[in-house]
Amino acid sequence: MKICHTAIGIVLLMAGTAAAQGRGGRQGGGPPPTPRVAAQFDLTGTWVSVVSEDWRWRMVTPARGDYASVPLNPEGRRVADAWDLAKDVAGGEQCRPFGAGAIMRVPTRVRISWVDDQTLKLEADAGTQMRLFRFGGSTPAAAAPTWQGESTATWSKQAQSRGLGFGGGPSPGPGVLKVVTTHMRSGYLRWNGVPYSEAAVVTEYFNRHSDFGIESFTVTTVVDDPNYLTQLFITTSSFRKEADESKFSPSPCETVPPRLAVAAPTGR
């Protein structure tokens, strides 16, 4: 995790989001466009993880007690130190590392599509997980928490400085998809039982970009958990677009990282 530059970036994202909600609204007094029409960029398609950092925590199962760089409080460390893989397996809890708090860090392919004009669907083949990003500010009440929780989504513009700082103020920057997820089952931030609780709130910022002809998106994930963390836990994960979905292969939750041939950092 690159906490310094990532934290700076997320502060800018948070500042820009509130200032730009609802862009692309009414034109000439007509109804506002649907979230699908007003999308700042196209996330649909199949994408594969690019694992260029945190290899020891993402691609292998770390030793129990290895929670370096995660801001756990004493209770969070106690829970992490008590992690028992055999107990998880016996209790049918293999999906704990695949919840919304960590699924974008799992080596995986994701397939993204619109369910309707108000709902974006993200499917991860690792663990056969599905997430629904609902626009409009409300989500249906669930009877009980789930691994992926309930997610609300908004499009906005990221504010950025203009010029060299001599007047002008901030200007609209690249589009961003903000997703806030709550009502989750407790899960793991890492394979070795580093926990987040049912009280956690996960906020994600998706940005699409093109580098030397390689289409990618980056998601910055912010986990706020009053039960187990002393401060926000922030990570950034990247995905490269694939030509088609032929390699998308759903598999059940496992207690070890999926043996996925992730994309090379260079995109080759």
Side-chain angles (χ1 to χ4, degrees):
M1 177 185 68
K2 309 298 184 184
I3 186 68
C4 295
H5 74 270
T6 303
I8 293 172
I10 199 63
V11 168
L12 294 174
L13 284 170
M14 289 175 171
T17 299
Q21 298 289 345
R23 291 188 180 274
R26 298 175 185 270
Q27 297 290 332
T34 65
R36 184 173 185 174
V37 172
Q40 300 291 337
F41 48 83
D42 183 14
L43 269 181
T44 61
T46 302
W47 311 76
V48 63
S49 298
V50 179
V51 181
S52 57
E53 31 76 277
D54 286 354
W55 188 272
R56 90 182 206 208
W57 296 309
R58 298 178 66 184
M59 297 299 292
V60 298
T61 302
R64 182 170 55 190
D66 181 359
Y67 34 73
S69 78
V70 182
L72 293 175
N73 61 20
E75 178 62 12
R77 291 193 295 271
R78 185 194 69 78
V79 173
D81 288 338
W83 172 64
D84 185 335
L85 177 59
K87 184 177 179 180
D88 281 351
V89 173
E93 297 291 306
Q94 294 94 327
C95 285
R96 282 189 178 275
F98 296 84
I103 187 61
M104 303 308 287
R105 297 295 282 171
V106 171
T108 189
R109 285 183 170 84
V110 296
R111 182 170 60 191
I112 302 176
S113 60
W114 286 95
V115 176
D116 53 43
D117 286 347
Q118 302 286 336
T119 310
L120 196 61
K121 178 170 67 175
L122 184 151
E123 301 168 275
D125 63 359
T128 316
Q129 299 297 305
M130 183 184 74
R131 307 179 66 190
L132 295 176
F133 301 158
R134 293 185 172 92
F135 294 80
S138 63
T139 58
T146 62
W147 294 123
Q148 301 308 325
E150 300 293 338
S151 299
T152 58
T154 52
W155 293 108
S156 65
K157 288 283 189 178
Q158 174 185 340
Q160 61 184 16
S161 298
R162 182 164 51 199
L164 298 177
F166 301 104
S171 63
V176 59
L177 172 65
K178 178 182 178 181
V179 178
V180 179
T181 303
T182 58
H183 206 56
M184 298 169 288
R185 293 180 63 177
S186 59
Y188 295 154
L189 295 171
R190 289 180 179 161
W191 298 100
N192 59 339
V194 178
Y196 64 88
S197 73
E198 291 187 3
V201 176
V202 175
T203 304
E204 297 163 292
Y205 299 87
F206 292 77
N207 291 91
R208 178 168 172 164
H209 46 92
S210 179
D211 301 307
F212 304 103
I214 301 170
E215 296 298 320
S216 306
F217 78 78
T218 299
V219 54
T220 300
T221 301
V222 183
V223 181
D224 185 2
D225 186 354
N227 290 347
Y228 294 144
L229 300 178
T230 61
Q231 63 187 56
L232 302 179
F233 178 57
I234 305 172
T235 55
T236 301
S237 309
S238 296
F239 290 77
R240 188 194 71 189
K241 192 166 191 179
E242 299 201 303
D244 54 47
E245 61 180 53
S246 59
K247 296 180 181 178
F248 186 84
S249 180
S251 59
C253 294
E254 299 177 355
T255 54
V256 295
R259 302 306 178 189
L260 172 70
V262 296
T266 59
R268 292 194 294 270

